[in-house]
């Protein structure tokens, strides 16, 4: 009898993780490596060699390839996908994690803010999914995992572009699933709650906002990037083969409140 734990093994798999330099993306890359996957990492400012995430992945006995890509530059995204498709092993797991957030009240939210957030958080992720998902379809297998947000469900405050982009991610997950599930591709998302990362530094430094947020989280703590190792390995592995079009919430109970 095959152990259920074997279904979580990613031995022999290659995972591409965007936004892997720090925070949730770095933890996801480490978790996937711990489960056996080799990692292709990409971030806008990722060092070509010697990064912290590279050292971490290699310390787990896995291969790491580093790329830089400005996801707000459409041409750069196309160039990156073409480079990886031409020069790397086939991508078994695509983790669309890279994102940005720009804060301003809606009446003052500039076109530049809107355009950059939508380009990075939604358009680039569709371009990557189309390119690598197409190759997965040809092979009849693959896993695509997006990082969504609580603002896929809620509107937020002073982040209209971010909320729109993350709502779009949840819809894109379902749209791609409707087309590709029958072709052997699993497309799902993880929606983080309030996590101690760069994106939430301003909130955590605001004593009133931080106290209010913690008061609504049943687990009564900010999440940590390491809380996403298990969920991403699950969605990347054969243990989740009958999951498609789902946004998995990892929020300490926030949405249940």
């Amino acid at each position: 009898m095959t152990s259920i734990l074997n279904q979580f093994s990613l031995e022999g798999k290659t995972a591409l993780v965007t936004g892997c330099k720090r925070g949730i993306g770095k933890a996801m890359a480490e978790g996937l490596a711990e489960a056996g996957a080799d990692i292709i990492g990409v971030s806008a400012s990722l060092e070509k060699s010697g990064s912290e995430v590279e050292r971490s992945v290699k310390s787990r006995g896995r291969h790491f390839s580093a790329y830089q890509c400005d996801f707000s530059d459409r041409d750069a995204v196309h160039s990156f996908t073409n480079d990886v498709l031409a020069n790397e092993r086939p991508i078994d797991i695509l983790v669309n994690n890279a994102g940005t957030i720009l804060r301003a009240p809606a009446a003052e939210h500039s076109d530049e803010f809107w355009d950059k957030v939508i380009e990075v958080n939604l358009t680039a992720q569709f371009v990557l999914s189309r390119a690598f998902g197409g190759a997965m379809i040809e092979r009849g297998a693959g896993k695509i995992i997006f990082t969504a947000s609580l603002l896929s469900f809620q509107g937020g405050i002073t982040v209209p572009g971010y909320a729109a982009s993350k709502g779009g991610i949840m819809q894109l997950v379902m749209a791609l699933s409707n087309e590709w599930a029958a072709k052997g591709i699993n497309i799902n998302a993880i929606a983080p709650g309030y996590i101690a990362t760069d994106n939430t530094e301003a909130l955590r430094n605001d004593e009133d906002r931080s106290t209010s947020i913690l008061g609504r989280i049943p687990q009564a703590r900010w999440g940590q990037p390491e809380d996403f190792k298990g969920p991403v390995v699950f969605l990347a592995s054969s243990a989740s083969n009958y999951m498609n079009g789902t946004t998995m919430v990892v929020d300490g109970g926030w949405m249940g409140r």
Side-chain angles (χ1 to χ4, degrees), residues 105-124:
E108 303 164 17
H109 207 79
S110 67
D111 288 357
E112 290 76 17
F113 271 27
W114 177 273
D115 290 344
K116 181 172 183 178
V117 171
I118 295 296
E119 192 71 31
V120 173
N121 291 8
L122 186 58
T123 304

Side-chain angles (χ1 to χ4, degrees), residues 47 54 91 130 215 224 237 253:
E47 298 89 339
E54 177 178 1
I91 304 302
R130 182 178 60 195
Q224 298 297 320
S237 74

Side-chain angles (χ1 to χ4, degrees), residues 193-208:
Y194 286 91
I195 312 303
T197 65
D198 293 351
N199 276 357
T200 61
E201 184 175 6
L203 292 176
R204 287 181 287 117
N205 289 339
D206 184 325
E207 185 174 350
D208 290 339

